[in-house]
Amino acid sequence: MSLNTPLAAQGIETRAKIYANLGTAPLVEHALTNGEGRLSKHGPLVVDTGRFTGRSVKDKFVVRDATTEDTINWGKINQPMSAEHFANLKTDFMEALKDQETLYVADLFGGSQPEYRVNVRVITQLAWHSLFVRTLLVRPTEEELAGFDPEYTIINLPSFKADPERHGSRSDTMIAVSFTEKLILIANTEYSGEMKKGVFGLLNYLLPEQGVMPMHCSANVGADGKTAIFFGLSGTGKTTLSADASRTLIGDDEHGWSDDAVFNFEGGCYAKMINLSEEGEPEIYATTRMFGTILENVAMDEDTREIDFTDTSKTENTRGAYPIDFIPNTSEKNLGPVPSNVIMLTADAFGVLPPISRLTPDQAMYYFLSGYTAKVAGTEIGVTEPEATFSTCFGAPFMPRHPSVYGNLLKERIAKGGVQCWLVNTGWTGGKYGTGSRMPIKATRALLNAALDGSLNDVEFRKDENFGFEVPVAVPGVDTTILDPRATWSDKEEYDSTAQKLVQLFVDNFADFEAHVDEGVRKAAPTAA
């Protein structure tokens, strides 16, 4: 298919053969022919991303210029890059493009609500990268492609090595974003998530100026037509809990909340595959037996081509990318009504938080800005005890603006729509990690269902003595003991000291935000003894 806007019109010269907007089957064929991947027994394309099995957070930079000087929250996450260094990098990228033999071009939308979507062109060296980004973003119709003009462009060259002196990089890997030139350059990494999160960061920068709340969350709609959104960091159950066969899935990762809709930024899902089972997550498991799914860094038997989801020899961050309609009962337009419920998921490895708590709007903003979850011992070198992780807005690495921008947008929308907010702990009960056990998913689902159908509002609540939010005393079909974390611990004094330790971690973390929030949010903080 020819491009409505040729590469030459963007100042890109190349002798490469251009493959534009290829479909799934041709891209899989190209990937196999190029030696980029192999087919598994049941049809998915299995690829290896080399030494990078996750995002290169420390190698991502944003150009600091007149456009961004006062709008970016500069720091460890949004690292500044000079316009001169970016100009050098762009020049060298353009030179590298001239000598490519093959390039794949995909013209796609970031965002499903037409009023707020952006046109994104993605140029890749690898066929499977083009398949990935075509799977994850929103695919235009043929008619839309015929009139497609790119607003933003991503160029992904894994073979390009950045030069720290010439390009201002930290290493030979670099992800460089220029909002002025509307260009993202990705060098020396095959990890596909850099493209996906590049578009997410772009929308997170653009949408607040239009009054739209960008969110790192999943979303679905019940039979009653009411939308729920699920915030949560990796490993908290965001994808699993939103892929509920009884509800219509809007999306599993990135959304916008406008005046009249919650809309998916994407057209696909990017789920963790580690320890995936048919029994535990049947909808997601089914996608791993479909042609068109991409499996990243999963172990596969070379003879039988069977997948082993328990194998962590390569990485624990094994991933599967698949079109959203591979999940049964998905939204046809990738959007739904504005939310009635907001769920914030946390995997509390300290075993302190209740399985579900009801939040006021001020508390919701407090816990949203905190973005708490916990790492467990053994998942990272040197982690021997549960370790608190605070990722602002449940997505700090993707938020270019100050966190208060997103927090205030959320609080305004919650108040405007009378939205009910809940904090759900999918982590540990009966003790911290190593002593207690993982929260039963059956109990989590029962509590979530009660919250979403409104019946949870009819039960008796108590005020948590440490955190101040409301906790149900008894819920039909759920073991009453599990609702009171202290009651599940054999050593009550150890629970009390662990709870106070977690309270203090929250208080210390929130110190950076106190000057940017009002008195109501400051009073929503947990109470240290």
Side-chain angles (χ1 to χ4, degrees), residues 305-341:
R305 299 299 177 97
E306 289 280 5
I307 299 296
D308 180 0
F309 292 113
T310 66
D311 190 320
T312 60
S313 58
K314 172 72 176 179
T315 177
E316 288 197 5
N317 190 35
T318 52
R319 292 277 179 168
Y322 48 87
I324 192 170
D325 58 15
F326 278 17
I327 298 290
N329 199 24
T330 52
S331 168
E332 186 178 344
K333 294 185 178 180
N334 286 355
L335 50 80
V338 294
S340 299
N341 285 278

Side-chain angles (χ1 to χ4, degrees), residues 67-89:
T67 302
T68 58
E69 177 66 44
D70 299 321
T71 54
I72 296 290
N73 183 38
W74 301 108
K76 290 182 179 180
I77 291 172
N78 297 304
Q79 301 179 100
M81 177 184 191
S82 72
E84 292 75 20
H85 279 139
F86 186 81
N88 291 341
L89 183 66

